Each structure stands twice: as C-alpha cells, then as structure tokens.
C-alpha cells in the first residue's frame, strides 16, 4: 500500500546550508529532522546497533546510500523488532557549484528525474526482507541540491567537479510498502500475459538494467514468476492467484 500525505510534504523541509566532508551527512541529518515526530528518540542504541529514530516499538532507519551496507543490520533487527527503512529518491535535483570557500558559483536544474522505480537499484541488495512481516519500506520522493566543488584530476566525467554533499530542499511525497504484493503496482497494465524485462522496460519507460533489477526483486518476492522463454529472453507472468 502506498501512502501520500495531503498536499505534498513541503511544509517540513530542513535544508542544511554548509559544506560537509561526507556526501551523505547533511542529507541524512535533514531527513531525520524532517521525519521525526514529537516523542521520537534519536540515535538510540538497540541490540548493540545505533538506530536513527525509535518511535514506540518501531525502529526507523534512514538510508541515503547503499542498502548492501545495512543488510546485516536490518536482517538481525527485524527478527526481534518492527523496522522501517526510509529511502529518498530525488525526483528533482539542483546542481550547485561552489569554490573552496563554499561561495556559490552557479546553480542549475539537472535534467535527471528520479522515480519510485529507482529504489529497486538498492532494493536488489535485500529484496527478501520485504516479505518479513516486521519490515516496511518507505520511499520518499524529494527535491535535493547536489553540491559540487572543482577538484582537478578527479571525476573526469564531470570535468573535475566532485560531489561534496547532498542537501534536502523538500519532500514531495512518501510511499510505504509493507507487503510484497503491494509492489505489483509497478507492473504496467500494458504488459502481455507473458512478458520479458524488455517489455517491462518499455512499459515503464526505464532502462533495461533497472527493469532486470525490478524483475529479480519481484520474482524473489513472488510478485511474478518465470514462465519459459520469449525468444531468447526469460519470460515472466503474474501468479495465477494474483
């Protein structure tokens, strides 16, 4: 099931306006501030692990980077606690260039557009966890600033402009997934009864690599199942009980 707050979520932005040494730090801190509610406990040690927020009996972890980095932590915690993983996907990104003194040299809107489906790039590291009754995934569509500083000899594909931090501008919407079957919302109605990852990519308007990651996750969770071959590609279909 997906939850979207009324009127978006821009009423609680908490941007951080300084240059940090770690890319993920300011974004993580701002999201934790935005997400927190009165009564939440912050940075609580639980079973020897530090938890971002504790809300009643639920542990809330905000992850702005790789899911693989917290797979073992979540897998252990979910056996004895209710756990929610919160992950931001930047629906809109503004690129901010700064000099060595953090003076802004320019700001422009990136052509990149994040979508909910992009969370599968990380979910592929722990898809089976969503089948656990004590686990839920919340995807936040956000607006962000990506701060870059020039560093000759690095990031050659960006002509030496290195990303030094990400900043939260606001949260556009939030979407919660508590059960595997809720991920069926990502299967477009235009899919044929037996489809390939190529069909999935075309139906969603995403690249084939992302469609393959989605198919892997959905197969692990029983949302789709293999059904022979379509030419040389693996065919998939929705389970008969779906």
């Amino acid at each position: 099931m997906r939850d979207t707050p009324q009127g978006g979520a821009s009423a609680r932005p908490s941007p951080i306006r300084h240059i940090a040494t770690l890319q993920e730090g300011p974004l993580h801190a701002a999201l934790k501030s935005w997400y927190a509610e009165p009564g939440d406990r912050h940075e609580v040690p639980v079973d020897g692990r530090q938890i971002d927020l504790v809300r009643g009996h639920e542990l809330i972890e905000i992850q702005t980077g790789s899911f693989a980095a917290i797979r073992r932590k979540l897998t252990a915690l979910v056996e004895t606690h209710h756990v929610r993983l919160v992950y931001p996907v930047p629906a809109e990104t503004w690129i901010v260039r700064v000099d060595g003194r953090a003076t802004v040299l320019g700001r422009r809107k990136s052509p990149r557009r994040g979508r909910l489906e992009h969370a599968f790039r990380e979910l592929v590291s722990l898809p089976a966890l969503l089948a656990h009754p004590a686990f839920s995934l919340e995807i936040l569509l956000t607006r962000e600033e990506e701060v870059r500083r020039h560093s000759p000899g690095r990031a050659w594909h960006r002509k030496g402009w290195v990303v030094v931090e990400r900043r939260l501008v606001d949260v556009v919407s939030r979407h919660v997934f508590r059960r595997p079957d809720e991920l069926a919302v990502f299967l477009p109605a235009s899919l044929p009864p037996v489809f390939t990852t190529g069909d999935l990519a075309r139906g969603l308007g995403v690249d084939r690599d992302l469609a393959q990651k989605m198919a892997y996750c959905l197969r692990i969770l029983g949302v789709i199942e293999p059904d022979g071959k379509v030419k040389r590609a693996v065919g998939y279909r929705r389970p008969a009980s779906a």
Side-chain angles (χ1 to χ4, degrees):
M1 183 176 181
R2 303 197 293 175
D3 302 333
T4 303
Q6 299 87 350
S10 59
R12 291 195 294 164
S14 181
I16 293 183
R17 301 296 178 183
H18 65 275
I19 300 298
T21 55
L22 297 177
Q23 291 184 28
E24 302 292 349
L27 177 62
H28 183 274
L31 284 169
K32 187 167 63 175
S33 176
W34 180 89
Y35 199 90
E37 295 180 355
D40 287 354
R41 292 180 290 152
H42 297 239
E43 298 299 332
V44 181
V46 176
D47 298 344
R49 300 172 174 87
Q50 203 77 0
I51 307 301
D52 289 328
L53 297 169
V54 177
R55 181 174 298 165
H57 297 291
E58 186 174 46
L59 310 184
I60 300 170
E61 278 292 291
I62 297 170
Q63 181 68 358
T64 59
S66 167
F67 284 9
I70 58 169
R71 178 172 50 208
R72 292 178 62 183
K73 177 181 182 179
L74 296 178
T75 301
L77 288 171
V78 81
E79 293 305 318
T80 50
H81 304 275
H82 287 274
V83 178
R84 174 164 297 193
L85 177 60
V86 179
Y87 180 67
V89 174
E92 183 178 290
T93 302
W94 288 85
I95 297 171
V96 181
R97 292 186 175 186
V98 300
D99 62 16
R101 297 182 179 180
T103 301
V104 175
L105 303 176
R107 186 176 187 269
R108 65 178 176 85
K109 191 173 184 179
S110 170
R112 300 195 307 264
R113 295 289 184 274
R115 301 170 43 168
L116 290 177
E117 289 87 349
H118 291 161
F120 281 90
R121 291 173 177 163
E122 295 302 330
L123 188 60
V124 72
S125 296
L126 42 75
L129 203 55
L130 197 58
H132 198 291
F135 179 80
S136 62
L137 172 67
E138 182 164 357
I139 305 172
L140 305 179
L141 287 179
T142 61
R143 293 189 181 96
E144 297 181 10
E145 288 182 337
E146 182 179 280
V147 182
R148 299 180 182 180
R149 185 167 52 214
H150 197 253
S151 180
R154 298 177 59 192
W156 59 268
H157 58 292
R158 288 194 296 264
K159 299 182 179 179
W161 287 94
V162 177
V163 178
V164 294
E165 72 176 33
R166 291 163 63 194
R167 297 170 174 168
L168 178 66
V169 176
D170 64 21
V171 177
V172 179
S173 61
R174 46 199 301 190
H175 309 262
V176 182
F177 300 88
R178 300 179 179 87
R179 303 188 314 271
D181 63 298
E182 293 176 342
L183 295 180
V185 71
F186 291 105
L187 297 174
S190 60
L191 286 176
V194 178
F195 60 91
T196 67
T197 55
D199 295 323
L200 184 59
R202 286 187 292 274
L204 291 173
V206 301
D207 61 67
R208 185 71 174 267
D209 179 70
L210 178 56
Q212 289 172 338
K213 288 180 169 60
M214 294 179 68
Y216 172 78
C217 294
L218 296 175
R219 179 178 61 80
I220 292 293
L221 291 167
V223 179
I224 61 176
E225 57 188 25
D227 188 356
K229 294 276 189 178
V230 178
K231 296 182 179 179
R232 295 185 178 182
V234 176
Y236 297 96
R237 65 178 176 85
R238 302 170 192 255
S241 58

